[in-house]
Amino acid sequence: MTRRHVRVVGAMLQNEMGRYLITQRPPTASLPLLWEFPGGRVEEGENDAVALARELQEEMGVRIEVLEEVMHTHHEYPTYDIDFRVFRCQLGATGSEIHHLRVHDHRWVTLEEMGQYRFPDADAKTLARLLDLDH
């Protein structure tokens, strides 16, 4: 049986107080109620930046500007593989109020506070790199 390969993009959005946006997955989603960097799957024929902007618009009704890629990791779940890329982003000038359209909740947290939240394994690997815990 062939393993599914899923390309996922996440946003590293930092506010003016130096806090990062994390979102909580809906209770009906896979990996329910875990926290993650906002983002989602890249669809066939889509580039990463377009996919990331689309996902944040669909999930929270916010417009973002996608800047540079800051991290890339690969994670193997029991039945599929994730190719996960995180991009530094900034909120657009307009439409930056967050709505819970396809997320359960959101928080603005410091890197140190992220350890208080439970993340899916792929996000946790990225978080460890951000905190320099894997060296």
Coordinates of all heavy atoms in Angstrom, one line a residue, residues 33-109:
L33 N -8.6 19.4 18.4 CA -8.3 20.4 19.5 C -6.8 20.6 19.8 O -6.5 21.2 20.8 CB -9.1 20.0 20.8 CG -10.6 20.0 20.6 CD1 -11.3 19.5 21.9 CD2 -11.1 21.4 20.2
L34 N -6.0 20.0 18.9 CA -4.6 20.3 19.1 C -4.3 21.7 18.5 O -5.0 22.3 17.7 CB -3.7 19.3 18.3 CG -3.8 17.9 18.9 CD1 -2.8 17.0 18.1 CD2 -3.5 17.8 20.4
W35 N -3.2 22.3 19.0 CA -2.8 23.7 18.5 C -1.8 23.6 17.4 O -1.1 22.6 17.3 CB -2.3 24.5 19.7 CG -3.3 24.8 20.7 CD1 -3.7 24.0 21.7 CD2 -4.2 25.9 20.8 NE1 -4.8 24.5 22.4 CE2 -5.0 25.7 21.9 CE3 -4.3 27.1 20.0 CZ2 -6.0 26.7 22.2 CZ3 -5.2 28.0 20.4 CH2 -6.1 27.8 21.4
E36 N -1.8 24.6 16.5 CA -0.9 24.5 15.4 C -0.6 25.9 14.8 O -1.3 26.9 15.2 CB -1.5 23.7 14.3 CG -2.8 24.2 13.7 CD -3.5 23.3 12.7 OE1 -2.9 22.2 12.4 OE2 -4.6 23.7 12.2
F37 N 0.4 26.0 14.0 CA 0.6 27.2 13.2 C -0.5 27.3 12.2 O -0.8 26.3 11.6 CB 1.9 27.2 12.6 CG 3.1 27.2 13.5 CD1 3.8 26.0 13.7 CD2 3.4 28.3 14.3 CE1 4.8 25.9 14.6 CE2 4.5 28.2 15.2 CZ 5.2 27.1 15.4
P38 N -1.2 28.4 12.0 CA -2.3 28.4 11.0 C -1.8 28.1 9.6 O -0.6 28.5 9.3 CB -2.8 29.9 11.1 CG -1.7 30.7 11.8 CD -0.9 29.7 12.6
G39 N -2.6 27.5 8.8 CA -2.2 27.1 7.5 C -3.0 25.9 7.0 O -4.1 25.7 7.6
G40 N -2.5 25.1 6.1 CA -3.2 24.0 5.6 C -2.5 23.3 4.4 O -1.4 23.6 4.1
R41 N -3.3 22.5 3.7 CA -2.8 21.8 2.6 C -2.6 22.6 1.4 O -3.4 23.5 1.1 CB -3.7 20.6 2.3 CG -3.8 19.6 3.3 CD -4.7 18.4 2.9 NE -4.8 17.5 4.0 CZ -5.3 16.3 3.9 NH1 -5.8 15.9 2.7 NH2 -5.4 15.5 4.9
V42 N -1.6 22.3 0.6 CA -1.3 22.8 -0.7 C -2.1 22.0 -1.7 O -1.9 20.8 -1.7 CB 0.2 22.9 -1.0 CG1 0.4 23.4 -2.4 CG2 0.9 23.7 0.0
E43 N -3.0 22.6 -2.5 CA -3.8 21.8 -3.4 C -3.0 21.7 -4.7 O -2.0 22.4 -5.0 CB -5.1 22.5 -3.7 CG -5.9 22.6 -2.4 CD -7.3 22.9 -2.5 OE1 -7.8 23.0 -3.7 OE2 -8.0 23.0 -1.5
E44 N -3.4 20.7 -5.5 CA -2.8 20.4 -6.8 C -2.7 21.6 -7.7 O -3.6 22.4 -7.8 CB -3.6 19.3 -7.5 CG -2.9 18.8 -8.8 CD -1.8 17.9 -8.5 OE1 -1.8 17.1 -7.5 OE2 -0.8 17.9 -9.2
G45 N -1.5 21.9 -8.2 CA -1.3 23.1 -9.0 C -1.1 24.4 -8.3 O -0.9 25.4 -9.0
E46 N -1.1 24.4 -7.0 CA -1.0 25.6 -6.2 C 0.4 25.8 -5.7 O 1.1 24.8 -5.4 CB -1.9 25.5 -5.0 CG -2.7 26.7 -4.6 CD -3.7 26.4 -3.4 OE1 -3.6 25.4 -2.7 OE2 -4.5 27.2 -3.2
N47 N 0.9 27.0 -5.7 CA 2.2 27.2 -5.0 C 2.0 27.5 -3.5 O 0.9 27.8 -3.1 CB 3.1 28.3 -5.7 CG 2.6 29.7 -5.5 OD1 2.2 30.1 -4.4 ND2 2.7 30.5 -6.5
D48 N 3.1 27.4 -2.8 CA 3.0 27.5 -1.3 C 2.4 28.8 -0.8 O 1.5 28.8 0.0 CB 4.4 27.3 -0.7 CG 4.9 25.9 -0.9 OD1 4.1 25.0 -1.2 OD2 6.1 25.7 -0.6
A49 N 2.8 29.9 -1.4 CA 2.4 31.2 -0.9 C 0.9 31.4 -1.2 O 0.1 31.9 -0.4 CB 3.2 32.3 -1.6
V50 N 0.4 31.0 -2.4 CA -1.0 31.1 -2.7 C -1.8 30.2 -1.8 O -2.9 30.6 -1.3 CB -1.2 30.7 -4.2 CG1 -2.7 30.6 -4.5 CG2 -0.6 31.8 -5.1
A51 N -1.4 29.0 -1.6 CA -2.1 28.1 -0.7 C -2.2 28.6 0.7 O -3.2 28.6 1.4 CB -1.4 26.7 -0.7
L52 N -1.1 29.2 1.2 CA -1.1 29.7 2.6 C -2.0 30.9 2.7 O -2.8 31.0 3.7 CB 0.3 30.1 3.0 CG 0.5 30.5 4.5 CD1 0.0 29.4 5.4 CD2 2.0 30.7 4.7
A53 N -2.0 31.8 1.8 CA -2.9 33.0 1.8 C -4.4 32.5 1.7 O -5.2 33.0 2.4 CB -2.6 33.9 0.7
R54 N -4.6 31.5 0.9 CA -6.0 31.0 0.7 C -6.5 30.3 2.0 O -7.6 30.6 2.5 CB -6.1 30.0 -0.4 CG -7.4 29.3 -0.5 CD -7.4 28.1 -1.5 NE -6.3 27.2 -1.4 CZ -6.3 26.2 -0.4 NH1 -7.3 26.1 0.5 NH2 -5.3 25.3 -0.3
E55 N -5.6 29.5 2.6 CA -6.0 28.8 3.9 C -6.3 29.8 5.0 O -7.3 29.6 5.7 CB -4.9 27.9 4.3 CG -4.8 26.6 3.5 CD -5.9 25.6 3.8 OE1 -6.5 25.7 4.8 OE2 -6.1 24.7 3.0
L56 N -5.5 30.9 5.2 CA -5.8 31.8 6.3 C -7.1 32.6 6.0 O -7.8 32.9 6.9 CB -4.6 32.7 6.5 CG -3.7 32.1 7.6 CD1 -2.9 30.9 7.1 CD2 -2.8 33.1 8.2
Q57 N -7.3 32.9 4.7 CA -8.6 33.6 4.4 C -9.8 32.7 4.7 O -10.8 33.1 5.2 CB -8.5 33.9 2.9 CG -9.8 34.6 2.4 CD -10.0 36.0 3.0 OE1 -9.1 36.8 3.1 NE2 -11.2 36.3 3.3
E58 N -9.7 31.4 4.3 CA -10.8 30.4 4.5 C -11.0 30.1 6.0 O -12.1 30.0 6.4 CB -10.5 29.1 3.8 CG -10.6 29.3 2.3 CD -10.2 28.0 1.5 OE1 -9.8 27.0 2.2 OE2 -10.3 28.0 0.3
E59 N -9.9 30.0 6.7 CA -10.0 29.6 8.1 C -10.4 30.7 9.1 O -11.0 30.5 10.1 CB -8.7 28.9 8.6 CG -8.4 27.6 7.9 CD -7.1 27.0 8.4 OE1 -6.3 27.7 9.1 OE2 -6.8 25.8 8.0
M60 N -9.8 31.9 8.8 CA -10.0 33.0 9.8 C -10.4 34.3 9.2 O -10.6 35.3 9.9 CB -8.7 33.2 10.5 CG -8.2 32.0 11.3 SD -6.7 32.3 12.2 CE -5.6 32.2 10.8
G61 N -10.6 34.3 7.8 CA -11.0 35.6 7.2 C -10.0 36.7 7.2 O -10.3 37.8 7.2
V62 N -8.7 36.3 7.3 CA -7.6 37.3 7.3 C -6.8 37.3 6.0 O -6.7 36.2 5.4 CB -6.7 37.2 8.5 CG1 -7.4 37.4 9.8 CG2 -6.0 35.9 8.5
R63 N -6.3 38.4 5.7 CA -5.5 38.6 4.5 C -4.0 38.7 5.0 O -3.8 39.4 6.0 CB -5.8 39.8 3.7 CG -7.2 39.7 3.1 CD -7.4 40.6 1.9 NE -8.8 40.6 1.5 CZ -9.3 39.7 0.6 NH1 -8.5 38.7 0.2 NH2 -10.6 39.7 0.2
I64 N -3.1 38.0 4.4 CA -1.7 38.0 4.8 C -0.8 38.3 3.6 O -1.2 38.0 2.5 CB -1.3 36.7 5.5 CG1 -1.4 35.5 4.5 CG2 -2.0 36.5 6.8 CD1 -0.7 34.3 4.9
E65 N 0.4 38.7 3.9 CA 1.4 38.8 2.9 C 2.4 37.7 3.3 O 2.9 37.7 4.4 CB 2.1 40.1 3.0 CG 3.2 40.3 1.9 CD 3.9 41.6 2.0 OE1 3.4 42.5 2.6 OE2 5.0 41.7 1.4
V66 N 2.7 36.8 2.4 CA 3.7 35.7 2.6 C 5.1 36.2 2.3 O 5.3 36.7 1.2 CB 3.3 34.5 1.8 CG1 4.3 33.3 2.1 CG2 1.9 34.0 2.1
L67 N 6.0 36.1 3.3 CA 7.3 36.6 3.1 C 8.2 35.3 2.8 O 7.9 34.5 2.0 CB 7.8 37.4 4.3 CG 6.8 38.5 4.6 CD1 7.2 39.2 5.9 CD2 6.8 39.6 3.5
E68 N 9.3 35.1 3.5 CA 10.2 34.1 3.2 C 9.9 32.8 4.0 O 9.3 32.8 5.0 CB 11.7 34.5 3.5 CG 12.1 34.6 5.0 CD 11.7 35.9 5.7 OE1 11.1 36.8 5.0 OE2 12.0 36.0 6.9
E69 N 10.4 31.7 3.4 CA 10.3 30.4 4.1 C 11.3 30.4 5.2 O 12.5 30.7 5.0 CB 10.6 29.2 3.1 CG 10.5 27.9 3.7 CD 10.8 26.7 2.7 OE1 10.3 26.8 1.6 OE2 11.4 25.8 3.1
V70 N 10.9 30.0 6.4 CA 11.8 30.0 7.5 C 12.1 28.6 8.0 O 13.1 28.4 8.8 CB 11.3 30.8 8.7 CG1 11.2 32.3 8.3 CG2 9.9 30.3 9.2
M71 N 11.4 27.6 7.6 CA 11.6 26.3 8.1 C 10.9 25.2 7.2 O 9.9 25.5 6.6 CB 11.0 26.1 9.5 CG 11.6 25.0 10.2 SD 11.5 25.2 12.0 CE 12.1 26.9 12.2
H72 N 11.6 24.1 7.1 CA 11.0 23.0 6.3 C 11.3 21.7 7.1 O 12.5 21.5 7.5 CB 11.7 22.9 4.9 CG 11.3 21.7 4.1 ND1 12.1 21.1 3.2 CD2 10.1 21.1 4.0 CE1 11.4 20.1 2.6 NE2 10.2 20.1 3.1
T73 N 10.3 20.9 7.3 CA 10.5 19.6 8.0 C 9.6 18.6 7.4 O 8.7 18.8 6.6 CB 10.2 19.8 9.5 OG1 10.6 18.6 10.2 CG2 8.7 20.0 9.8
H74 N 10.0 17.3 7.6 CA 9.2 16.2 7.1 C 8.9 15.3 8.3 O 9.7 15.2 9.2 CB 10.1 15.4 6.2 CG 9.5 14.2 5.6 ND1 8.6 14.2 4.5 CD2 9.5 12.9 6.0 CE1 8.2 13.0 4.2 NE2 8.7 12.2 5.1
H75 N 7.6 14.9 8.4 CA 7.2 14.0 9.5 C 6.4 12.9 9.0 O 5.5 13.0 8.1 CB 6.4 14.8 10.5 CG 6.0 14.0 11.7 ND1 6.9 13.8 12.7 CD2 4.9 13.4 12.0 CE1 6.4 13.0 13.6 NE2 5.1 12.8 13.2
E76 N 6.6 11.7 9.5 CA 5.9 10.5 9.2 C 4.9 10.2 10.2 O 5.3 9.8 11.4 CB 6.9 9.3 8.9 CG 7.8 9.5 7.8 CD 8.8 8.3 7.6 OE1 8.6 7.3 8.3 OE2 9.6 8.5 6.7
Y77 N 3.6 10.3 9.9 CA 2.5 9.8 10.8 C 2.3 8.3 10.4 O 2.9 7.8 9.4 CB 1.3 10.7 10.5 CG 1.3 12.0 11.2 CD1 1.6 13.2 10.4 CD2 1.1 12.2 12.5 CE1 1.6 14.4 11.0 CE2 1.2 13.4 13.1 CZ 1.4 14.5 12.3 OH 1.5 15.8 12.9
P78 N 1.5 7.6 11.2 CA 1.3 6.2 10.9 C 0.9 5.8 9.5 O 1.3 4.9 8.9 CB 0.3 5.7 12.0 CG 0.5 6.7 13.1 CD 0.9 8.0 12.4
T79 N 0.0 6.7 8.9 CA -0.6 6.3 7.6 C -0.2 7.3 6.5 O -0.7 7.1 5.3 CB -2.1 6.2 7.7 OG1 -2.6 7.4 8.2 CG2 -2.5 5.0 8.6
Y80 N 0.5 8.4 6.8 CA 0.8 9.3 5.7 C 2.0 10.1 6.1 O 2.4 10.2 7.3 CB -0.4 10.3 5.4 CG -0.9 11.1 6.6 CD1 -0.4 12.4 6.8 CD2 -1.8 10.5 7.5 CE1 -0.9 13.1 7.8 CE2 -2.3 11.3 8.5 CZ -1.8 12.6 8.7 OH -2.3 13.3 9.8
D81 N 2.6 10.8 5.2 CA 3.8 11.6 5.4 C 3.5 13.1 5.2 O 2.7 13.4 4.2 CB 4.9 11.3 4.4 CG 5.4 9.9 4.6 OD1 5.3 9.3 5.7 OD2 6.0 9.3 3.6
I82 N 4.0 14.0 6.0 CA 3.8 15.4 5.9 C 5.1 16.1 5.4 O 6.2 15.9 6.0 CB 3.4 16.0 7.2 CG1 2.0 15.5 7.6 CG2 3.4 17.5 7.2 CD1 0.8 16.1 6.9
D83 N 5.0 16.9 4.4 CA 6.1 17.8 4.0 C 5.6 19.2 4.4 O 4.7 19.7 3.9 CB 6.2 17.8 2.4 CG 7.3 18.8 1.9 OD1 8.0 19.3 2.7 OD2 7.3 19.0 0.7
F84 N 6.2 19.7 5.5 CA 5.7 20.9 6.2 C 6.7 22.0 6.1 O 7.8 21.9 6.4 CB 5.5 20.5 7.7 CG 4.8 21.6 8.5 CD1 3.7 22.3 8.1 CD2 5.3 21.9 9.8 CE1 3.1 23.3 8.8 CE2 4.8 22.9 10.5 CZ 3.6 23.6 10.1
R85 N 6.2 23.1 5.5 CA 7.0 24.3 5.3 C 6.3 25.5 6.0 O 5.1 25.7 5.9 CB 7.1 24.7 3.8 CG 7.9 23.6 3.1 CD 7.8 23.8 1.6 NE 8.4 22.6 0.9 CZ 9.6 22.5 0.5 NH1 10.4 23.5 0.6 NH2 10.0 21.4 -0.1
V86 N 7.1 26.2 6.8 CA 6.6 27.4 7.5 C 7.2 28.7 6.9 O 8.4 28.7 6.6 CB 7.0 27.3 9.0 CG1 6.6 28.5 9.8 CG2 6.5 26.0 9.6
F87 N 6.3 29.6 6.7 CA 6.7 30.9 6.1 C 6.5 32.1 7.1 O 5.5 32.1 7.8 CB 5.9 31.2 4.9 CG 6.2 30.2 3.8 CD1 5.6 29.0 3.7 CD2 7.1 30.6 2.8 CE1 5.9 28.1 2.7 CE2 7.4 29.7 1.7 CZ 6.8 28.4 1.7
R88 N 7.4 33.0 7.1 CA 7.2 34.2 7.9 C 6.1 35.0 7.1 O 6.2 35.1 5.9 CB 8.5 35.0 8.0 CG 8.4 36.2 8.9 CD 9.7 36.9 9.1 NE 10.8 36.1 9.4 CZ 11.1 35.5 10.6 NH1 10.3 35.7 11.6 NH2 12.1 34.7 10.7
C89 N 5.1 35.5 7.8 CA 4.1 36.3 7.1 C 3.7 37.5 7.9 O 4.1 37.6 9.1 CB 2.8 35.4 7.1 SG 3.0 33.9 6.2
Q90 N 3.0 38.4 7.3 CA 2.5 39.5 8.1 C 1.0 39.7 7.7 O 0.6 39.4 6.6 CB 3.3 40.8 7.9 CG 3.3 41.3 6.5 CD 4.3 42.5 6.3 OE1 5.3 42.6 7.0 NE2 4.0 43.3 5.3
L91 N 0.3 40.3 8.6 CA -1.1 40.5 8.4 C -1.2 41.6 7.3 O -0.5 42.6 7.4 CB -1.9 40.9 9.7 CG -2.1 39.8 10.7 CD1 -2.7 40.4 12.0 CD2 -3.0 38.7 10.1
G92 N -2.2 41.5 6.5 CA -2.5 42.6 5.5 C -2.9 43.8 6.2 O -3.4 43.8 7.3
A93 N -2.8 44.9 5.4 CA -3.2 46.2 6.0 C -4.7 46.3 6.4 O -5.1 46.9 7.3 CB -2.9 47.3 5.0
T94 N -5.5 45.6 5.6 CA -7.0 45.6 5.9 C -7.4 44.1 6.1 O -6.7 43.2 5.7 CB -7.8 46.1 4.7 OG1 -7.5 45.3 3.5 CG2 -7.5 47.6 4.4
G95 N -8.5 43.9 6.8 CA -9.0 42.6 7.0 C -8.2 41.8 7.9 O -8.0 40.6 7.7
S96 N -7.6 42.4 9.0 CA -6.8 41.6 9.9 C -7.5 41.1 11.1 O -6.8 40.5 12.0 CB -5.5 42.4 10.2 OG -5.9 43.6 10.8
E97 N -8.8 41.3 11.2 CA -9.5 40.8 12.4 C -9.8 39.3 12.2 O -10.2 38.9 11.2 CB -10.9 41.6 12.5 CG -11.6 41.1 13.8 CD -12.9 41.9 14.0 OE1 -13.0 43.0 13.5 OE2 -13.8 41.3 14.6
I98 N -9.4 38.6 13.3 CA -9.5 37.1 13.2 C -10.9 36.6 13.5 O -11.5 37.0 14.6 CB -8.4 36.5 14.1 CG1 -7.0 36.8 13.6 CG2 -8.6 35.0 14.2 CD1 -5.9 36.4 14.6
H99 N -11.4 35.8 12.6 CA -12.7 35.2 12.8 C -12.5 33.6 12.9 O -11.7 33.1 12.2 CB -13.7 35.5 11.7 CG -13.9 37.0 11.5 ND1 -14.8 37.7 12.3 CD2 -13.3 37.8 10.7 CE1 -14.7 39.0 11.9 NE2 -13.8 39.1 10.9
H100 N -13.3 33.0 13.7 CA -13.1 31.5 13.8 C -14.1 30.8 12.8 O -15.1 30.2 13.2 CB -13.4 31.1 15.3 CG -12.5 31.6 16.2 ND1 -12.7 31.6 17.6 CD2 -11.3 32.2 16.1 CE1 -11.7 32.2 18.2 NE2 -10.8 32.6 17.3
L101 N -13.7 30.9 11.5 CA -14.5 30.3 10.5 C -14.3 28.8 10.4 O -15.2 28.0 10.3 CB -14.1 30.9 9.1 CG -14.3 32.5 9.1 CD1 -13.8 33.0 7.7 CD2 -15.8 32.8 9.3
R102 N -13.0 28.4 10.4 CA -12.7 26.9 10.4 C -11.6 26.6 11.4 O -10.9 25.6 11.3 CB -12.1 26.6 9.0 CG -13.2 26.7 7.9 CD -12.7 26.1 6.6 NE -13.7 26.2 5.6 CZ -13.5 26.1 4.3 NH1 -12.3 25.7 3.9 NH2 -14.4 26.2 3.4
V103 N -11.5 27.4 12.5 CA -10.6 27.1 13.6 C -11.5 27.1 14.8 O -12.5 27.8 14.9 CB -9.4 28.1 13.7 CG1 -8.5 28.0 12.5 CG2 -9.9 29.5 14.0
H104 N -11.1 26.4 15.9 CA -11.9 26.4 17.1 C -11.6 27.6 18.0 O -12.4 28.1 18.6 CB -11.6 25.1 17.8 CG -12.5 24.8 19.0 ND1 -13.8 24.6 18.9 CD2 -12.2 24.8 20.3 CE1 -14.4 24.5 20.1 NE2 -13.4 24.6 21.0
D105 N -10.3 28.0 18.0 CA -9.9 29.1 18.8 C -8.5 29.6 18.3 O -7.9 29.0 17.5 CB -9.7 28.6 20.3 CG -9.8 29.8 21.3 OD1 -9.9 30.9 20.9 OD2 -9.8 29.5 22.5
H106 N -8.0 30.7 18.8 CA -6.7 31.2 18.5 C -6.1 31.9 19.7 O -6.8 32.3 20.6 CB -6.7 32.1 17.3 CG -7.2 33.5 17.6 ND1 -8.5 33.9 17.8 CD2 -6.5 34.7 17.9 CE1 -8.6 35.2 18.1 NE2 -7.4 35.7 18.1
R107 N -4.8 32.0 19.7 CA -4.0 32.7 20.8 C -2.8 33.4 20.2 O -2.3 32.9 19.2 CB -3.5 31.7 21.8 CG -4.5 30.9 22.6 CD -5.1 31.7 23.8 NE -5.9 30.8 24.6 CZ -7.1 30.5 24.4 NH1 -7.7 30.8 23.3 NH2 -7.8 29.7 25.3
W108 N -2.5 34.5 20.8 CA -1.2 35.1 20.5 C -0.3 34.8 21.6 O -0.5 35.2 22.8 CB -1.4 36.6 20.3 CG -2.1 37.0 19.1 CD1 -3.4 37.3 19.0 CD2 -1.6 37.2 17.8 NE1 -3.8 37.7 17.7 CE2 -2.6 37.6 16.9 CE3 -0.3 37.1 17.3 CZ2 -2.4 37.8 15.6 CZ3 -0.1 37.3 15.9 CH2 -1.2 37.7 15.1
V109 N 0.8 34.1 21.4 CA 1.7 33.6 22.5 C 3.1 33.9 22.2 O 3.5 34.0 21.0 CB 1.5 32.1 22.7 CG1 0.1 31.7 23.1 CG2 1.9 31.3 21.5

